[in-house]
Coordinates of all heavy atoms in Angstrom, one line a residue:
M1 N 0.9 -1.2 0.0 CA 0.0 0.0 0.0 C 0.9 1.2 0.0 O 2.0 1.2 0.6 CB -0.9 0.0 1.2 CG -1.9 1.1 1.3 SD -3.3 0.9 2.4 CE -2.5 0.3 3.9
I2 N 0.4 2.3 -0.7 CA 1.2 3.5 -0.8 C 0.4 4.7 -0.1 O -0.8 4.8 -0.4 CB 1.4 3.9 -2.3 CG1 2.2 2.8 -3.0 CG2 2.2 5.2 -2.4 CD1 3.6 2.5 -2.5
A3 N 1.0 5.5 0.7 CA 0.4 6.7 1.3 C 0.8 7.9 0.4 O 2.0 8.0 0.1 CB 0.8 6.8 2.7
R4 N -0.1 8.7 0.1 CA 0.1 9.9 -0.7 C -0.2 11.1 0.2 O -1.3 11.2 0.8 CB -0.7 9.9 -1.9 CG -0.7 11.2 -2.8 CD -1.6 11.0 -4.0 NE -1.8 12.3 -4.7 CZ -1.1 12.6 -5.8 NH1 -0.1 11.8 -6.3 NH2 -1.3 13.8 -6.4
I5 N 0.8 12.0 0.5 CA 0.6 13.1 1.4 C 0.6 14.4 0.8 O 1.6 14.7 0.1 CB 1.6 13.0 2.6 CG1 1.5 11.6 3.2 CG2 1.4 14.1 3.6 CD1 2.6 11.3 4.2
W6 N -0.4 15.2 1.0 CA -0.5 16.6 0.4 C -0.7 17.5 1.6 O -1.4 17.2 2.6 CB -1.7 16.6 -0.5 CG -2.0 18.0 -0.9 CD1 -1.5 18.7 -2.0 CD2 -3.0 18.9 -0.3 NE1 -2.0 20.0 -2.0 CE2 -2.9 20.1 -1.0 CE3 -3.9 18.8 0.8 CZ2 -3.7 21.2 -0.7 CZ3 -4.7 19.9 1.1 CH2 -4.6 21.1 0.4
H7 N -0.2 18.7 1.4 CA -0.3 19.8 2.4 C -0.8 21.1 1.7 O -0.3 21.4 0.6 CB 1.0 20.0 3.2 CG 1.0 21.3 4.0 ND1 1.5 22.5 3.6 CD2 0.4 21.5 5.2 CE1 1.3 23.4 4.6 NE2 0.6 22.8 5.6
G8 N -1.7 21.8 2.3 CA -2.1 23.1 1.9 C -2.4 24.0 3.0 O -2.6 23.5 4.2
K9 N -2.5 25.3 2.8 CA -2.8 26.2 3.8 C -3.7 27.4 3.3 O -3.6 27.8 2.1 CB -1.6 26.8 4.6 CG -0.6 27.5 3.7 CD 0.6 27.9 4.5 CE 1.6 28.6 3.6 NZ 2.8 29.0 4.4
T10 N -4.6 27.8 4.2 CA -5.5 28.9 3.9 C -5.4 30.0 5.0 O -4.8 29.8 6.0 CB -6.9 28.4 3.8 OG1 -7.4 28.0 5.2 CG2 -7.1 27.2 2.9
K11 N -6.2 31.0 4.8 CA -6.3 32.0 5.9 C -7.2 31.3 7.0 O -8.0 30.5 6.7 CB -7.1 33.2 5.3 CG -6.4 34.0 4.3 CD -7.3 35.1 3.8 CE -6.6 35.8 2.6 NZ -7.5 36.8 2.0
V12 N -7.0 31.8 8.2 CA -7.8 31.2 9.3 C -9.2 31.4 9.1 O -10.0 30.5 9.4 CB -7.3 31.9 10.6 CG1 -8.2 31.5 11.8 CG2 -5.9 31.5 11.0
E13 N -9.7 32.5 8.5 CA -11.1 32.7 8.3 C -11.7 31.8 7.3 O -12.9 31.7 7.2 CB -11.4 34.2 7.9 CG -10.6 34.7 6.8 CD -9.3 35.5 7.2 OE1 -8.7 35.1 8.3 OE2 -8.9 36.3 6.5
D14 N -10.9 31.1 6.5 CA -11.4 30.1 5.5 C -11.3 28.7 6.0 O -11.6 27.7 5.3 CB -10.6 30.2 4.2 CG -10.8 31.5 3.5 OD1 -12.0 32.0 3.6 OD2 -9.9 31.9 2.7
Y15 N -10.9 28.5 7.3 CA -10.7 27.2 7.9 C -12.0 26.3 7.7 O -11.8 25.2 7.2 CB -10.4 27.4 9.4 CG -10.0 26.2 10.2 CD1 -8.7 25.6 9.9 CD2 -10.7 25.7 11.3 CE1 -8.3 24.5 10.6 CE2 -10.2 24.7 12.0 CZ -9.0 24.1 11.7 OH -8.5 23.0 12.5
E16 N -13.1 26.7 8.1 CA -14.3 25.9 8.1 C -14.8 25.7 6.6 O -15.3 24.7 6.2 CB -15.4 26.4 9.0 CG -15.1 26.4 10.4 CD -14.8 25.0 11.0 OE1 -15.3 24.0 10.4 OE2 -14.1 24.9 12.0
A17 N -14.7 26.8 5.8 CA -15.2 26.7 4.5 C -14.4 25.8 3.6 O -14.9 25.0 2.8 CB -15.2 28.1 3.8
Y18 N -13.0 25.8 3.8 CA -12.2 24.9 3.1 C -12.4 23.5 3.5 O -12.4 22.5 2.7 CB -10.7 25.3 3.2 CG -9.9 24.6 2.1 CD1 -10.1 24.8 0.8 CD2 -8.9 23.7 2.5 CE1 -9.3 24.1 -0.2 CE2 -8.1 23.0 1.5 CZ -8.4 23.2 0.2 OH -7.6 22.6 -0.8
T19 N -12.6 23.3 4.8 CA -12.9 22.0 5.3 C -14.2 21.4 4.7 O -14.2 20.3 4.2 CB -13.1 22.0 6.9 OG1 -11.9 22.4 7.5 CG2 -13.6 20.7 7.4
Q20 N -15.2 22.2 4.5 CA -16.4 21.8 3.9 C -16.2 21.5 2.4 O -16.7 20.5 1.9 CB -17.5 22.9 4.0 CG -18.9 22.5 3.6 CD -19.4 21.4 4.5 OE1 -19.3 21.5 5.7 NE2 -19.9 20.3 3.9
F21 N -15.4 22.3 1.7 CA -15.1 22.0 0.3 C -14.4 20.6 0.2 O -14.7 19.8 -0.7 CB -14.2 23.1 -0.2 CG -13.5 22.7 -1.5 CD1 -14.3 22.6 -2.7 CD2 -12.2 22.4 -1.6 CE1 -13.7 22.2 -3.9 CE2 -11.6 22.0 -2.8 CZ -12.3 21.9 -3.9
I22 N -13.4 20.4 1.1 CA -12.7 19.1 1.0 C -13.7 17.9 1.2 O -13.7 16.9 0.5 CB -11.6 19.0 2.1 CG1 -10.5 20.0 1.7 CG2 -11.0 17.6 2.3 CD1 -9.6 19.6 0.6
N23 N -14.6 18.1 2.2 CA -15.6 17.1 2.5 C -16.6 16.9 1.4 O -16.9 15.7 1.1 CB -16.4 17.4 3.8 CG -15.6 17.0 5.0 OD1 -14.9 16.0 5.1 ND2 -15.7 17.9 6.1
D24 N -17.0 17.9 0.7 CA -18.0 17.9 -0.3 C -17.4 17.5 -1.7 O -18.2 16.9 -2.5 CB -18.7 19.2 -0.5 CG -19.6 19.5 0.8 OD1 -19.8 18.6 1.6 OD2 -20.0 20.7 0.9
T25 N -16.2 17.9 -2.0 CA -15.7 17.7 -3.3 C -14.5 16.8 -3.4 O -14.5 15.8 -4.2 CB -15.2 19.1 -3.9 OG1 -16.4 20.0 -3.9 CG2 -14.7 19.0 -5.3
A26 N -13.4 17.0 -2.7 CA -12.2 16.2 -2.8 C -12.4 14.8 -2.3 O -12.0 13.9 -3.0 CB -11.1 16.9 -2.1
I27 N -12.9 14.6 -1.1 CA -13.0 13.3 -0.6 C -13.9 12.4 -1.5 O -13.5 11.3 -1.7 CB -13.5 13.3 0.9 CG1 -12.4 13.9 1.8 CG2 -13.9 12.0 1.4 CD1 -12.8 14.1 3.2
P28 N -15.0 12.8 -2.0 CA -15.8 12.0 -2.9 C -15.0 11.6 -4.2 O -15.1 10.5 -4.7 CB -17.0 12.8 -3.2 CG -17.2 13.7 -2.0 CD -15.8 14.0 -1.6
D29 N -14.2 12.6 -4.6 CA -13.4 12.4 -5.8 C -12.4 11.3 -5.6 O -12.2 10.4 -6.4 CB -12.7 13.7 -6.3 CG -12.1 13.6 -7.6 OD1 -12.6 12.8 -8.5 OD2 -11.1 14.3 -7.8
Y30 N -11.7 11.4 -4.5 CA -10.7 10.3 -4.1 C -11.4 9.0 -4.0 O -11.0 8.0 -4.5 CB -10.0 10.6 -2.8 CG -9.0 11.7 -2.9 CD1 -9.2 13.0 -2.6 CD2 -7.6 11.3 -3.1 CE1 -8.2 14.0 -2.7 CE2 -6.6 12.3 -3.2 CZ -6.9 13.6 -2.9 OH -6.0 14.6 -3.0
S31 N -12.5 9.0 -3.3 CA -13.2 7.7 -2.9 C -13.7 7.0 -4.1 O -13.8 5.7 -4.0 CB -14.4 8.0 -2.0 OG -13.9 8.6 -0.8
K32 N -14.1 7.6 -5.2 CA -14.6 6.9 -6.4 C -13.5 6.4 -7.3 O -13.9 5.7 -8.3 CB -15.5 7.9 -7.1 CG -14.8 9.0 -7.9 CD -15.8 9.9 -8.6 CE -15.1 11.0 -9.4 NZ -16.0 11.9 -10.0
T33 N -12.3 6.6 -7.0 CA -11.2 6.1 -7.8 C -10.9 4.6 -7.4 O -10.6 4.3 -6.3 CB -9.9 7.0 -7.6 OG1 -10.3 8.3 -7.9 CG2 -8.8 6.5 -8.6
A34 N -10.9 3.8 -8.4 CA -10.5 2.4 -8.2 C -9.1 2.3 -7.6 O -8.2 3.0 -8.1 CB -10.6 1.6 -9.5
G35 N -8.9 1.5 -6.6 CA -7.6 1.3 -5.9 C -7.4 2.2 -4.7 O -6.5 2.0 -4.0
F36 N -8.4 3.1 -4.5 CA -8.3 3.9 -3.3 C -8.7 3.1 -2.1 O -9.6 2.3 -2.2 CB -9.4 5.1 -3.4 CG -9.6 5.9 -2.2 CD1 -8.7 6.9 -1.8 CD2 -10.7 5.6 -1.4 CE1 -8.9 7.6 -0.6 CE2 -10.9 6.3 -0.2 CZ -10.0 7.3 0.2
V37 N -8.0 3.2 -1.0 CA -8.2 2.4 0.2 C -8.9 3.2 1.3 O -10.0 2.8 1.7 CB -6.9 1.8 0.7 CG1 -7.1 1.0 2.0 CG2 -6.2 0.9 -0.4
K38 N -8.3 4.3 1.7 CA -8.9 5.1 2.8 C -8.1 6.4 2.8 O -7.1 6.6 2.1 CB -8.8 4.4 4.1 CG -7.3 4.2 4.6 CD -7.3 3.4 5.9 CE -5.9 3.2 6.3 NZ -5.8 2.6 7.7
L39 N -8.5 7.3 3.7 CA -7.8 8.6 3.9 C -7.8 9.1 5.3 O -8.7 8.6 6.1 CB -8.3 9.7 2.9 CG -9.8 10.1 3.1 CD1 -9.9 11.1 4.2 CD2 -10.2 10.8 1.8
S40 N -6.9 9.9 5.6 CA -6.9 10.7 6.9 C -6.8 12.1 6.5 O -5.9 12.5 5.7 CB -5.7 10.3 7.7 OG -5.7 8.9 8.1
F41 N -7.7 12.9 7.0 CA -7.8 14.3 6.7 C -7.5 15.1 8.0 O -8.2 15.0 9.0 CB -9.2 14.6 6.2 CG -9.5 16.1 5.9 CD1 -8.5 17.0 5.6 CD2 -10.8 16.5 5.9 CE1 -8.8 18.3 5.3 CE2 -11.1 17.9 5.6 CZ -10.1 18.7 5.3
L42 N -6.4 15.8 8.1 CA -5.9 16.5 9.3 C -5.9 18.0 9.1 O -5.7 18.5 7.9 CB -4.5 16.0 9.6 CG -4.2 14.5 9.5 CD1 -2.7 14.2 9.7 CD2 -5.0 13.8 10.6
R43 N -6.2 18.7 10.1 CA -6.1 20.2 10.0 C -5.7 20.8 11.4 O -6.0 20.2 12.4 CB -7.5 20.7 9.6 CG -8.6 20.5 10.6 CD -9.9 21.0 10.1 NE -10.9 21.0 11.2 CZ -12.0 21.7 11.3 NH1 -12.3 22.4 10.2 NH2 -12.8 21.6 12.3
N44 N -5.1 21.9 11.3 CA -4.8 22.7 12.5 C -4.5 24.1 12.1 O -4.4 24.5 11.0 CB -3.6 22.1 13.3 CG -2.3 22.2 12.6 OD1 -2.2 22.6 11.4 ND2 -1.2 21.9 13.2
I45 N -4.5 25.0 13.2 CA -4.1 26.4 13.0 C -2.8 26.6 13.7 O -2.6 26.3 14.8 CB -5.2 27.3 13.5 CG1 -6.5 27.1 12.7 CG2 -4.8 28.8 13.5 CD1 -7.7 27.8 13.3
K46 N -1.9 27.2 12.9 CA -0.5 27.4 13.4 C 0.0 28.7 12.8 O -0.2 28.9 11.5 CB 0.4 26.3 13.1 CG 1.8 26.4 13.6 CD 2.6 25.1 13.4 CE 2.8 24.8 12.0 NZ 3.7 23.6 11.7
N47 N 0.5 29.6 13.6 CA 1.1 30.9 13.1 C 0.1 31.7 12.3 O 0.4 32.2 11.2 CB 2.4 30.6 12.3 CG 3.5 30.0 13.1 OD1 3.6 30.2 14.3 ND2 4.2 29.1 12.5
N48 N -1.2 31.7 12.8 CA -2.3 32.4 12.1 C -2.5 32.0 10.7 O -3.0 32.8 9.9 CB -2.0 33.9 12.2 CG -3.3 34.7 12.2 OD1 -4.3 34.3 12.7 ND2 -3.2 35.9 11.5
E49 N -2.3 30.7 10.4 CA -2.7 30.1 9.1 C -3.3 28.8 9.4 O -3.0 28.1 10.4 CB -1.4 29.9 8.3 CG -0.7 31.1 7.8 CD 0.5 30.8 7.0 OE1 1.2 29.8 7.3 OE2 0.8 31.6 6.1
A50 N -4.3 28.4 8.5 CA -4.9 27.1 8.6 C -4.2 26.1 7.8 O -4.0 26.4 6.6 CB -6.4 27.3 8.2
H51 N -3.8 25.0 8.3 CA -3.0 24.0 7.6 C -3.9 22.7 7.5 O -4.6 22.3 8.4 CB -1.7 23.6 8.4 CG -0.8 24.8 8.4 ND1 0.3 24.8 7.5 CD2 -0.7 25.9 9.2 CE1 1.0 25.9 7.8 NE2 0.4 26.6 8.8
F52 N -3.8 22.2 6.3 CA -4.5 20.9 6.0 C -3.5 19.9 5.4 O -2.7 20.2 4.5 CB -5.6 21.2 4.9 CG -6.6 22.2 5.3 CD1 -6.4 23.6 5.2 CD2 -7.8 21.8 5.9 CE1 -7.3 24.5 5.7 CE2 -8.7 22.7 6.3 CZ -8.5 24.0 6.2
T53 N -3.6 18.7 6.0 CA -2.8 17.6 5.5 C -3.8 16.5 5.1 O -4.6 16.1 5.9 CB -1.8 17.1 6.5 OG1 -0.9 18.2 6.8 CG2 -1.0 16.0 6.0
L54 N -3.7 16.0 3.9 CA -4.5 14.9 3.4 C -3.6 13.7 3.1 O -2.7 13.8 2.3 CB -5.3 15.4 2.2 CG -6.3 14.4 1.6 CD1 -7.4 14.1 2.7 CD2 -6.9 15.0 0.4
I55 N -3.8 12.6 3.8 CA -3.1 11.4 3.6 C -4.0 10.4 3.0 O -5.0 10.0 3.6 CB -2.5 10.8 4.9 CG1 -1.7 11.9 5.6 CG2 -1.6 9.6 4.6 CD1 -1.2 11.5 7.0
T56 N -3.8 10.0 1.8 CA -4.6 9.1 1.1 C -3.8 7.8 1.0 O -2.6 7.8 0.8 CB -5.1 9.5 -0.3 OG1 -4.0 10.0 -1.0 CG2 -6.1 10.7 -0.1
Y57 N -4.5 6.7 1.0 CA -3.9 5.3 0.9 C -4.4 4.6 -0.3 O -5.6 4.6 -0.5 CB -4.2 4.5 2.2 CG -3.7 5.2 3.5 CD1 -4.5 6.1 4.2 CD2 -2.4 4.9 3.9 CE1 -4.0 6.7 5.3 CE2 -2.0 5.5 5.1 CZ -2.7 6.4 5.8 OH -2.3 7.0 6.9
W58 N -3.5 4.1 -1.1 CA -3.8 3.4 -2.3 C -3.2 2.1 -2.4 O -2.2 1.8 -1.8 CB -3.2 4.3 -3.5 CG -3.7 5.7 -3.4 CD1 -3.2 6.8 -2.6 CD2 -4.8 6.3 -4.1 NE1 -3.9 7.9 -2.8 CE2 -4.9 7.7 -3.7 CE3 -5.8 5.8 -5.0 CZ2 -5.9 8.5 -4.2 CZ3 -6.7 6.7 -5.4 CH2 -6.8 8.0 -5.1
E59 N -3.8 1.2 -3.3 CA -3.3 -0.1 -3.4 C -1.8 -0.2 -3.9 O -1.0 -1.0 -3.5 CB -4.2 -1.0 -4.3 CG -5.5 -1.3 -3.7 CD -6.4 -2.0 -4.7 OE1 -6.0 -2.2 -5.9 OE2 -7.6 -2.2 -4.3
N60 N -1.5 0.7 -4.9 CA -0.2 0.8 -5.5 C 0.0 2.1 -6.3 O -1.0 2.8 -6.4 CB 0.1 -0.5 -6.4 CG -0.9 -0.6 -7.4 OD1 -1.3 0.3 -8.2 ND2 -1.5 -1.9 -7.5
L61 N 1.2 2.3 -6.8 CA 1.4 3.5 -7.6 C 0.6 3.6 -8.9 O 0.2 4.7 -9.3 CB 2.9 3.6 -8.0 CG 3.8 4.1 -6.8 CD1 5.3 4.1 -7.3 CD2 3.4 5.4 -6.3
E62 N 0.3 2.4 -9.5 CA -0.4 2.4 -10.7 C -1.8 3.0 -10.5 O -2.3 3.8 -11.4 CB -0.5 1.0 -11.3 CG 0.8 0.6 -11.9 CD 1.4 1.5 -13.0 OE1 0.6 2.0 -13.9 OE2 2.6 1.9 -12.9
V63 N -2.5 2.7 -9.4 CA -3.8 3.3 -9.2 C -3.7 4.7 -8.8 O -4.7 5.5 -9.1 CB -4.6 2.4 -8.2 CG1 -4.8 1.0 -8.6 CG2 -4.0 2.5 -6.8
I64 N -2.6 5.2 -8.2 CA -2.5 6.6 -8.0 C -2.4 7.3 -9.3 O -3.0 8.4 -9.5 CB -1.2 6.9 -7.2 CG1 -1.4 6.3 -5.7 CG2 -0.9 8.4 -7.1 CD1 -0.2 6.4 -4.9
K65 N -1.8 6.8 -10.3 CA -1.7 7.4 -11.6 C -3.1 7.5 -12.3 O -3.3 8.5 -13.0 CB -0.8 6.6 -12.6 CG 0.7 6.7 -12.2 CD 1.5 5.8 -13.1 CE 3.0 5.8 -12.6 NZ 3.8 5.0 -13.5
N66 N -4.0 6.6 -12.0 CA -5.4 6.7 -12.4 C -6.0 8.0 -11.9 O -6.9 8.5 -12.5 CB -6.2 5.5 -12.1 CG -5.7 4.2 -12.8 OD1 -5.2 4.3 -13.9 ND2 -6.0 3.1 -12.3
F67 N -5.7 8.3 -10.7 CA -6.2 9.5 -10.0 C -5.5 10.8 -10.4 O -6.1 11.8 -10.8 CB -6.2 9.3 -8.5 CG -6.6 10.6 -7.8 CD1 -7.9 10.9 -7.7 CD2 -5.6 11.4 -7.1 CE1 -8.3 12.1 -7.0 CE2 -6.0 12.5 -6.5 CZ -7.3 12.9 -6.4
A68 N -4.1 10.7 -10.3 CA -3.3 11.9 -10.5 C -2.7 12.1 -11.8 O -2.2 13.2 -12.1 CB -2.2 11.9 -9.4
G69 N -2.7 11.1 -12.7 CA -2.0 11.2 -14.0 C -0.7 10.6 -13.9 O -0.2 10.2 -12.9
D70 N 0.0 10.5 -15.1 CA 1.3 9.9 -15.2 C 2.4 10.6 -14.3 O 3.2 9.9 -13.8 CB 1.8 9.9 -16.6 CG 1.0 8.8 -17.5 OD1 0.5 7.8 -16.9 OD2 0.9 9.0 -18.7
D71 N 2.3 11.9 -14.2 CA 3.2 12.6 -13.3 C 2.6 12.6 -11.9 O 2.1 13.6 -11.4 CB 3.4 14.1 -13.8 CG 4.5 14.8 -13.0 OD1 5.1 14.2 -12.1 OD2 4.7 16.0 -13.3
F72 N 2.6 11.4 -11.3 CA 1.8 11.2 -10.0 C 2.4 11.9 -8.9 O 1.7 12.1 -7.8 CB 1.7 9.7 -9.7 CG 3.1 9.1 -9.5 CD1 3.5 9.0 -8.2 CD2 3.9 8.6 -10.5 CE1 4.8 8.4 -7.9 CE2 5.1 8.0 -10.2 CZ 5.5 7.9 -8.9
E73 N 3.6 12.5 -8.9 CA 4.2 13.2 -7.8 C 3.7 14.7 -7.8 O 3.9 15.4 -6.9 CB 5.7 13.2 -7.9 CG 6.2 11.8 -7.5 CD 7.7 11.7 -7.5 OE1 8.4 12.5 -8.2 OE2 8.2 10.9 -6.7
K74 N 3.0 15.1 -8.9 CA 2.5 16.4 -9.0 C 1.2 16.5 -8.2 O 0.4 15.6 -8.3 CB 2.3 16.8 -10.5 CG 1.8 18.2 -10.7 CD 1.7 18.5 -12.2 CE 1.3 19.9 -12.3 NZ 1.1 20.3 -13.8
A75 N 1.1 17.6 -7.4 CA -0.2 17.7 -6.6 C -1.3 18.0 -7.6 O -1.2 18.6 -8.6 CB 0.0 18.9 -5.7
K76 N -2.5 17.5 -7.2 CA -3.7 17.7 -7.9 C -4.6 18.7 -7.3 O -4.8 18.7 -6.0 CB -4.5 16.4 -8.0 CG -5.8 16.5 -8.8 CD -6.6 15.2 -8.9 CE -7.9 15.4 -9.6 NZ -8.7 14.2 -9.8
Y77 N -5.0 19.7 -8.0 CA -5.8 20.8 -7.5 C -7.1 20.9 -8.2 O -7.2 20.5 -9.4 CB -5.0 22.1 -7.6 CG -3.8 22.2 -6.6 CD1 -2.5 22.0 -7.1 CD2 -4.0 22.4 -5.3 CE1 -1.5 22.0 -6.2 CE2 -3.0 22.4 -4.4 CZ -1.7 22.2 -4.9 OH -0.6 22.3 -4.0
Y78 N -8.1 21.5 -7.5 CA -9.4 21.7 -8.1 C -9.5 23.2 -8.4 O -8.9 24.1 -7.7 CB -10.5 21.3 -7.1 CG -10.4 19.8 -6.7 CD1 -9.6 19.4 -5.7 CD2 -11.1 18.9 -7.5 CE1 -9.5 18.0 -5.4 CE2 -11.0 17.5 -7.2 CZ -10.2 17.1 -6.2 OH -10.1 15.8 -5.9
P79 N -10.4 23.6 -9.3 CA -10.5 25.0 -9.6 C -10.9 25.9 -8.4 O -10.4 27.0 -8.2 CB -11.7 25.1 -10.7 CG -11.6 23.7 -11.3 CD -11.2 22.8 -10.2
E80 N -11.7 25.3 -7.5 CA -12.1 26.0 -6.3 C -10.9 26.3 -5.3 O -11.0 27.2 -4.5 CB -13.2 25.2 -5.5 CG -14.5 25.0 -6.3 CD -14.5 23.8 -7.2 OE1 -13.4 23.2 -7.5 OE2 -15.5 23.4 -7.7
D81 N -9.8 25.6 -5.5 CA -8.7 25.8 -4.6 C -8.2 27.3 -4.8 O -7.6 27.8 -3.8 CB -7.6 24.8 -4.9 CG -7.8 23.5 -4.4 OD1 -8.4 23.4 -3.3 OD2 -7.5 22.5 -5.0
D82 N -8.4 27.8 -6.0 CA -7.9 29.2 -6.2 C -8.6 30.2 -5.2 O -8.0 31.2 -4.9 CB -8.3 29.7 -7.6 CG -7.4 29.0 -8.7 OD1 -6.3 28.5 -8.4 OD2 -7.9 28.9 -9.8
D83 N -9.8 29.8 -4.7 CA -10.5 30.7 -3.8 C -10.0 30.6 -2.4 O -10.4 31.4 -1.5 CB -12.0 30.4 -3.8 CG -12.6 30.6 -5.2 OD1 -12.1 31.4 -6.0 OD2 -13.6 29.9 -5.5
F84 N -9.2 29.6 -2.1 CA -8.8 29.3 -0.7 C -7.3 29.3 -0.4 O -6.9 29.9 0.6 CB -9.4 27.9 -0.2 CG -10.9 27.9 -0.2 CD1 -11.6 27.2 -1.2 CD2 -11.6 28.5 0.8 CE1 -13.0 27.1 -1.1 CE2 -13.0 28.4 0.9 CZ -13.7 27.7 -0.1
L85 N -6.6 28.6 -1.2 CA -5.2 28.3 -0.9 C -4.3 29.5 -1.0 O -4.4 30.3 -1.9 CB -4.7 27.1 -1.7 CG -5.3 25.8 -1.5 CD1 -4.8 24.7 -2.5 CD2 -5.1 25.3 0.0
L86 N -3.4 29.6 0.0 CA -2.4 30.7 0.0 C -1.3 30.4 -1.0 O -0.6 31.4 -1.4 CB -1.9 30.9 1.4 CG -3.0 31.4 2.4 CD1 -2.4 31.5 3.8 CD2 -3.6 32.7 2.0
E87 N -1.0 29.2 -1.2 CA 0.1 28.8 -2.2 C -0.2 27.4 -2.7 O -1.1 26.7 -2.1 CB 1.5 28.8 -1.5 CG 1.6 27.9 -0.3 CD 2.9 28.1 0.5 OE1 3.4 29.2 0.6 OE2 3.4 27.1 0.9
F88 N 0.4 27.0 -3.7 CA 0.2 25.8 -4.4 C 1.5 25.0 -4.4 O 2.3 25.2 -5.2 CB -0.4 25.9 -5.8 CG -1.8 26.5 -5.8 CD1 -2.0 27.9 -5.7 CD2 -2.9 25.7 -5.9 CE1 -3.3 28.4 -5.7 CE2 -4.1 26.2 -5.9 CZ -4.4 27.5 -5.8
E89 N 1.6 24.1 -3.4 CA 2.8 23.2 -3.4 C 2.8 22.3 -4.7 O 1.7 21.7 -5.0 CB 2.8 22.4 -2.1 CG 3.0 23.3 -0.9 CD 3.0 22.5 0.4 OE1 3.0 21.3 0.4 OE2 2.9 23.2 1.5
E90 N 3.9 22.3 -5.3 CA 3.9 21.6 -6.6 C 3.9 20.0 -6.5 O 3.3 19.4 -7.3 CB 5.2 22.0 -7.4 CG 5.3 21.4 -8.8 CD 6.6 21.8 -9.5 OE1 7.1 22.9 -9.1 OE2 7.0 21.1 -10.4
K91 N 4.5 19.5 -5.5 CA 4.7 18.1 -5.3 C 4.0 17.5 -4.1 O 3.8 18.3 -3.1 CB 6.1 17.7 -5.3 CG 6.9 18.1 -6.5 CD 6.6 17.2 -7.7 CE 7.5 17.5 -8.9 NZ 7.2 16.7 -10.0
V92 N 3.6 16.3 -4.1 CA 3.1 15.5 -2.9 C 4.2 14.5 -2.6 O 5.2 14.3 -3.4 CB 1.8 14.8 -3.2 CG1 0.7 15.8 -3.5 CG2 1.9 13.8 -4.3
E93 N 4.1 13.9 -1.5 CA 5.0 12.8 -1.1 C 4.3 11.5 -1.1 O 3.1 11.4 -0.9 CB 5.6 13.1 0.3 CG 6.4 14.3 0.5 CD 7.1 14.4 1.8 OE1 6.3 14.7 2.8 OE2 8.3 14.2 1.9
H94 N 5.1 10.5 -1.4 CA 4.6 9.1 -1.4 C 5.5 8.2 -0.5 O 6.7 8.4 -0.5 CB 4.6 8.5 -2.8 CG 3.6 9.2 -3.7 ND1 4.0 10.3 -4.5 CD2 2.3 9.0 -4.0 CE1 3.0 10.7 -5.2 NE2 1.9 9.9 -4.9
F95 N 4.8 7.4 0.3 CA 5.6 6.5 1.2 C 5.0 5.1 1.1 O 3.7 4.9 1.0 CB 5.4 6.9 2.6 CG 6.1 8.2 2.9 CD1 5.4 9.4 2.8 CD2 7.4 8.3 3.4 CE1 6.1 10.6 3.0 CE2 8.1 9.5 3.6 CZ 7.4 10.7 3.5
E96 N 5.8 4.1 1.1 CA 5.3 2.7 1.2 C 4.8 2.5 2.6 O 5.6 2.8 3.6 CB 6.4 1.7 0.9 CG 6.0 0.3 0.9 CD 7.1 -0.6 0.5 OE1 8.2 -0.2 0.1 OE2 6.9 -1.8 0.7
V97 N 3.6 2.0 2.8 CA 3.1 1.7 4.1 C 3.5 0.2 4.4 O 3.2 -0.7 3.7 CB 1.6 1.8 4.1 CG1 1.0 1.4 5.5 CG2 1.1 3.2 3.7
F98 N 4.2 0.1 5.5 CA 4.7 -1.3 5.9 C 4.2 -1.8 7.2 O 4.4 -2.9 7.5 CB 6.3 -1.3 5.9 CG 6.9 -0.5 7.0 CD1 7.2 -1.1 8.2 CD2 7.2 0.8 6.8 CE1 7.8 -0.4 9.2 CE2 7.7 1.6 7.8 CZ 8.1 1.0 9.0
A99 N 3.5 -0.9 7.9 CA 2.9 -1.4 9.2 C 1.7 -0.6 9.5 O 1.5 0.6 9.0 CB 3.9 -1.3 10.3

């Protein structure tokens, strides 16, 4: 199994609205992809910014490519992210889950 980790940040005042967007749009999109296993959606406020970390779990790298495309290390964004995110990190991280 492979864990895919993405991080983003918003203004504190967008904390709840971006959480709702993730719940309504991103999570269903991940969940409908064949080979998706589960996810952990983390959030906190630090240094007057709202931070979001999304850890998704996949059967293997090939199914991640079905979701993210051939350049699977590139972060996937939605058009609505333009309304929330303070910056767009270019890459995500992948880890082999061994325990």
